[in-house]
Amino acid sequence: MKTFKIRFVEFDGRFSIQRKTWFGWSELRYVVDMGYGSISYLYSGETKEEALAEVLEKRFNIDKRFAKIIEYPGLKIY
C-alpha cells in the first residue's frame, strides 16, 4: 500500500492537488508535447473526489483501494 500526502488547492471553483515532497509542496502536472513546444497543465476536477481519482488513475496508475491518502489542510486562492 502506497502512502500519499496531499492537499487540495481551490481556485475558480475547481480543485487541484499538491503533493508533499522533501523540498516542500509540489503541484501535480502533466505535459503535452506539441513537437514545436510543450504545455503544462494541472490535474484538476470540479470536486475533490474527481481531482483525486484523476491523479491516482493517470499519474500513479493505482486505484484508491490500494493507496493510503493523508490529507492536509487545503488552500483557497482568490
Side-chain angles (χ1 to χ4, degrees), residues 7 16 18 23 27 29 47 49-50 54 58 65 69-71 75-76:
R7 72 177 176 188
S16 68
Q18 292 182 343
F23 303 108
E27 294 179 332
R29 298 177 169 268
T47 63
E49 292 81 19
E50 285 180 13
E54 183 179 2
K58 294 182 180 176
R65 296 176 296 165
I69 307 296
I70 299 173
E71 183 179 345
L75 299 175
K76 189 169 187 178

Side-chain angles (χ1 to χ4, degrees), residues 33-69:
D33 187 15
M34 303 287 194
Y36 49 83
S38 60
I39 301 172
S40 154
Y41 294 105
L42 291 172
Y43 287 107
S44 63
E46 294 292 326
T47 63
K48 291 180 180 181
E49 292 81 19
E50 285 180 13
L52 181 61
E54 183 179 2
V55 166
L56 290 176
E57 179 184 337
K58 294 182 180 176
R59 171 80 182 249
F60 298 113
N61 297 326
I62 193 169
D63 192 41
K64 189 176 179 182
R65 296 176 296 165
F66 305 112
K68 181 179 177 184
I69 307 296

Side-chain angles (χ1 to χ4, degrees), residues 9-25:
V9 178
E10 182 182 357
F11 61 96
D12 295 335
R14 296 188 61 85
F15 291 93
S16 68
I17 295 182
Q18 292 182 343
R19 182 177 181 195
K20 188 169 185 172
T21 63
W22 285 30
F23 303 108
W25 293 96

